[in-house]
Amino acid sequence: MIVRTEFDAITAVGEQQSSTIIRALNEFDSKAFDWKNKLDMARGAVLATEIKNNALKLARWTSQALLGDVEQMKLGYVNHTFLSF
């Protein structure tokens, strides 16, 4: 079986290099769970909620990292703020 894999970056610490996959979780309903207030005080609760709500997405990213022999996976949070004029 042939599998095509990818990684997003190579990080270097000293002379050792490691491959990294970078992914972002999107806040789509700020009324259900407000990240702005919770990220500073309860970072673990935000991550637990996102793991529960996006289990399939995180499983796909994890399997991609395992198949690609990626050493690091970095997750970020993206907040969509809509301005009304």
Side-chain angles (χ1 to χ4, degrees):
M1 175 175 21
I2 298 173
V3 178
R4 180 180 172 189
T5 61
E6 64 182 23
F7 59 90
D8 297 319
I10 294 180
T11 55
V13 177
E15 298 210 5
Q16 184 177 2
Q17 294 181 345
S18 62
S19 55
T20 304
I21 190 170
I22 302 167
R23 299 293 184 251
L25 295 166
N26 296 320
E27 180 184 33
F28 63 93
D29 187 9
S30 62
K31 293 180 179 155
F33 195 77
D34 188 21
W35 284 2
K36 286 182 182 180
N37 298 329
K38 306 261 182 190
L39 273 175
D40 291 333
M41 296 174 25
R43 190 175 306 163
V46 173
L47 181 61
T49 302
E50 290 306 311
I51 288 173
K52 182 181 78 169
N53 293 338
N54 297 307
L56 184 64
K57 183 187 294 187
L58 290 166
R60 186 180 72 220
W61 293 346
T62 304
S63 63
Q64 286 174 343
L66 289 172
L67 286 173
D69 197 27
V70 174
E71 297 170 3
Q72 293 182 9
M73 181 169 30
K74 298 192 180 217
L75 294 175
Y77 299 100
V78 177
N79 182 354
H80 298 283
T81 305
F82 297 102
L83 300 174
S84 60
F85 295 99

